[in-house]
Amino acid sequence: MADLTTLESLLEMGFDRNRAERAVASTGNQGIEQAMDWLMEHENDADVDEPYKPPAESILGGAEEDQQEPLLGDTTGVASGEGGQVGDAESSKKPMTEEEKVEQVKRLEELMRVKQAERRERERAEELEREKQRRKQGQELQQIRQKIQDDDMKKLAEQRRREKMEDKLARQRVKEKIARDREERAQKFGGSGSSGTSTSVPAGPVSPTDQGPPPTKKEYDESRIQVRLLDGSTITAVFKAQEPLAAVRVYVQVNGNTPEGQDFTLLSPYPRHVYTELDMEKPLKELGLVPSAVLVVTKK
């Protein structure tokens, strides 16, 4: 039984001639399996259906080779007497019958099904591997995001802890300062009692010239501040005349019942005056709150 050529086998299986010729030429006419592998691998190429132009020395356009082989055979036959036998053997090959062609096409189709199954299995394995890589990369990315989020939470917690500590230390310093001021005032006013003998004043009228210069205005170095809180209760404290109004606000924050985090401001009811942030830096004496004053706490 004579076998079909690779090109004929591909055409019998239903492949387009252009594709079949490309497959045979690209594989060097090494066999049907190589040609089928090439077709399956390049079936989606953009140029696979473009008109095929075989090169000058292509095995598909080997008319010259076909012509040269008889000449070589004839020369050899003349020299050795064997060329006629080779030509007789080639000419004695019978063309394939329809049954033989059908059987060979079946074998080729079975081979093609096996190749396609192997290709599908290979593609499935490659897809599984790509999916594994995608999942792995997704997990790594999720871990990186989680680590960044954890680091941000740690930094935020550390910042809040420092702010609370600084606030606590500031309150402690204010309390200590208030305590020192109270102790100084207690020592100052507690130990200044009158001592010694009293000087007798001569009786009789005193002439204007004996009265001396007119009394000067008394300078106060302290201020007694009464603060009315949001709930209507009041607290009272004594401050230095040169202390800023911010000291009063800090005193209210520490000793008043103002909710933590509640922002408030101070005002004078008579005459009504709302103190701003700039006023908080001014001394009580400059604001006219010496020797005593009443302030009211209001929400901002």
Side-chain angles (χ1 to χ4, degrees), residues 169-179 247 250-251 254:
L169 293 175
R171 291 174 180 268
Q172 184 65 28
R173 288 194 295 269
V174 171
K175 289 181 180 180
E176 293 175 356
K177 183 178 183 304
I178 293 173
V250 172
Y251 180 83
V254 175

Side-chain angles (χ1 to χ4, degrees), residues 69-92:
E69 288 180 356
L71 294 175
L72 182 59
D74 292 344
T75 305
T76 307
V78 171
S80 60
E82 297 176 355
Q85 296 177 1
V86 174
D88 294 339
E90 292 179 353
S91 60
S92 62

Side-chain angles (χ1 to χ4, degrees), residues 37 113-123:
D37 289 340
R113 283 194 293 270
V114 172
K115 292 291 184 180
Q116 289 176 342
E118 292 177 352
R119 181 186 179 187
R120 286 194 296 270
E121 182 64 24
R122 184 171 61 254
E123 291 177 350

Side-chain angles (χ1 to χ4, degrees), residues 12-294:
E12 287 289 339
M13 295 173 65
F15 286 104
D16 180 71
R17 171 174 287 275
N18 187 61
R19 292 194 178 195
E21 290 178 352
R22 280 183 178 273
V24 174
S26 299
T27 58
N29 198 16
Q30 296 180 1
I32 186 65
E33 293 188 19
Q34 288 80 356
M36 290 172 60
D37 289 340
W38 188 93
L39 284 170
M40 286 188 289
E41 291 176 1
H42 297 81
E43 63 179 350
N44 294 322
D45 290 357
D47 60 346
V48 70
D49 290 321
E50 293 181 2
Y52 176 69
K53 297 179 180 180
E57 298 179 355
S58 173
I59 58 173
L60 296 177
E64 296 180 359
E65 294 180 1
D66 295 340
Q67 294 176 1
Q68 292 175 0
E69 288 180 356
L71 294 175
L72 182 59
D74 292 344
T75 305
T76 307
V78 171
S80 60
E82 297 176 355
Q85 296 177 1
V86 174
D88 294 339
E90 292 179 353
S91 60
S92 62
K93 290 182 179 179
K94 296 180 180 180
M96 296 179 64
T97 63
E98 291 298 325
E99 292 78 6
E100 291 173 341
K101 289 182 179 181
V102 171
E103 185 173 350
Q104 186 166 358
V105 169
K106 287 182 179 179
R107 290 199 305 270
L108 294 175
E109 289 178 347
E110 180 63 26
L111 177 61
M112 185 175 181
R113 283 194 293 270
V114 172
K115 292 291 184 180
Q116 289 176 342
E118 292 177 352
R119 181 186 179 187
R120 286 194 296 270
E121 182 64 24
R122 184 171 61 254
E123 291 177 350
R124 189 180 68 86
E126 292 174 354
E127 181 63 26
L128 289 176
E129 184 63 25
R130 287 194 294 269
E131 182 64 24
K132 288 181 181 179
Q133 292 297 327
R134 283 195 295 269
R135 290 183 180 181
K136 182 179 179 181
Q137 293 175 357
Q139 291 175 355
E140 292 175 352
L141 182 61
Q142 182 64 25
Q143 291 175 358
I144 293 174
R145 289 177 177 173
Q146 186 63 38
K147 185 176 184 302
I148 294 175
Q149 185 178 1
D150 294 342
D151 292 342
D152 291 341
M153 292 298 294
K154 289 180 181 179
K155 291 179 181 179
L156 182 59
E158 179 65 21
Q159 181 180 356
R160 289 179 178 176
R161 188 188 68 79
R162 286 198 304 267
E163 290 176 353
K164 288 183 178 180
M165 181 62 66
E166 292 173 357
D167 185 62
K168 182 178 180 181
L169 293 175
R171 291 174 180 268
Q172 184 65 28
R173 288 194 295 269
V174 171
K175 289 181 180 180
E176 293 175 356
K177 183 178 183 304
I178 293 173
R180 288 196 302 270
D181 292 343
R182 287 178 177 175
E183 185 177 353
E184 291 175 0
R185 287 194 294 271
Q187 292 177 356
K188 179 178 179 180
F189 292 104
S192 59
S194 61
S195 60
T197 58
S198 60
T199 304
S200 58
V201 179
V206 179
S207 63
T209 58
D210 294 337
Q211 292 180 357
T216 59
K217 184 179 180 180
K218 184 177 180 179
E219 291 291 334
Y220 296 95
D221 59 353
E222 291 183 341
S223 175
R224 182 181 180 86
I225 303 295
Q226 183 183 59
V227 182
R228 186 164 69 245
L229 304 177
L230 293 174
D231 60 355
S233 60
T234 60
I235 55 175
T236 304
V238 178
F239 299 89
K240 296 291 185 181
Q242 295 301 324
E243 285 190 82
L245 182 59
V248 179
R249 183 167 64 178
V250 172
Y251 180 83
V252 173
Q253 289 177 339
V254 175
N255 298 278
N257 56 4
T258 305
E260 186 174 356
Q262 175 67 55
D263 198 7
F264 64 90
T265 187
L266 300 173
L267 64 84
S268 294
Y270 305 107
R272 182 179 176 83
H273 176 73
V274 179
Y275 295 100
T276 64
E277 292 296 329
L278 295 177
D279 294 331
M280 294 297 165
E281 304 298 328
K282 296 179 181 180
L284 299 177
K285 186 175 183 180
E286 181 180 341
L287 295 173
L289 302 178
V290 177
S292 63
V294 176

